[in-house]
Amino acid sequence: MAGVETAQSAQVDNPKTSSVPAEGYDKKCIFCKIVNNEMGTELLHCDEEISCFRDIKPGAPHHYLVVPTRHVGNCKSLSKEHLPLVEQMVKTGKEILQKNNITDLMDVRFGFHWPPFCSVTHLHLHVLAPASQMGFWSRLFYRPNSYWFITADQLIELLNSKGEAN
């Protein structure tokens, strides 16, 4: 996976300049530190709700992580109230791809690792493109309909059904 780390220059959108930790900050969370500019990671997008940066172990030529700017637990802890947040994460992921000249959204993978198979408990959407260029291990690691990876569409459907079941 690390072999696909090329000198891709991603377009930057609204980088955060404040180093003051925001409300909802978990000082032990690596993604909270990244969003608050404590790690020196380039933020490709950052606003009050959503932040985006490159994955350190890319599984595709374009591999971004879209996270809530405030700390939110993993996808298993979400409720129907989080639906707009997840939808905004997907929208931001699509915008980042389009700004980086990825226009074939049929060759993209959007998804989340399902607990306990996520290494960071801060909610994060994997955006991988082109999916057709993912290597063997990446195809396995980010495989839809597996025990360890759920697509964004599947999570949205699951969150929608939570309200109906209650």
Side-chain angles (χ1 to χ4, degrees), residues 32-47:
C32 285
K33 290 178 181 182
I34 289 171
V35 167
N36 283 284
N37 290 318
E38 295 175 29
M39 302 299 293
T41 302
E42 178 187 14
L43 294 175
L44 306 175
H45 174 91
C46 189
D47 63 32

Side-chain angles (χ1 to χ4, degrees), residues 35-107:
V35 167
N36 283 284
N37 290 318
E38 295 175 29
M39 302 299 293
T41 302
E42 178 187 14
L43 294 175
L44 306 175
H45 174 91
C46 189
D47 63 32
E48 297 258 338
E49 297 293 320
I50 306 292
S51 296
C52 178
F53 48 92
R54 287 182 197 85
D55 193 294
I56 61 168
K57 294 181 183 174
H62 292 267
H63 187 168
Y64 308 113
L65 296 178
V66 180
V67 303
T69 300
R70 291 183 173 93
H71 188 85
V72 174
N74 61 48
C75 58
K76 203 171 186 179
S77 68
L78 300 180
S79 66
K80 189 167 185 170
E81 290 76 37
H82 292 101
L83 191 55
L85 174 65
V86 173
E87 291 171 338
Q88 184 61 39
M89 291 171 72
V90 172
K91 181 181 175 201
T92 300
K94 288 178 181 177
E95 290 169 358
I96 292 293
L97 289 172
Q98 289 169 345
K99 287 178 182 174
N100 288 282
N101 301 315
I102 302 295
T103 56
D104 182 5
L105 295 182
M106 298 303 291
D107 194 18

Side-chain angles (χ1 to χ4, degrees), residues 1 4-5 57-63 127-131 133-135 138 142:
M1 284 191 275
V4 293
E5 192 165 356
K57 294 181 183 174
H62 292 267
H63 187 168
V127 179
L128 299 112
Q133 293 182 25
M134 292 169 60
S138 294
Y142 302 103

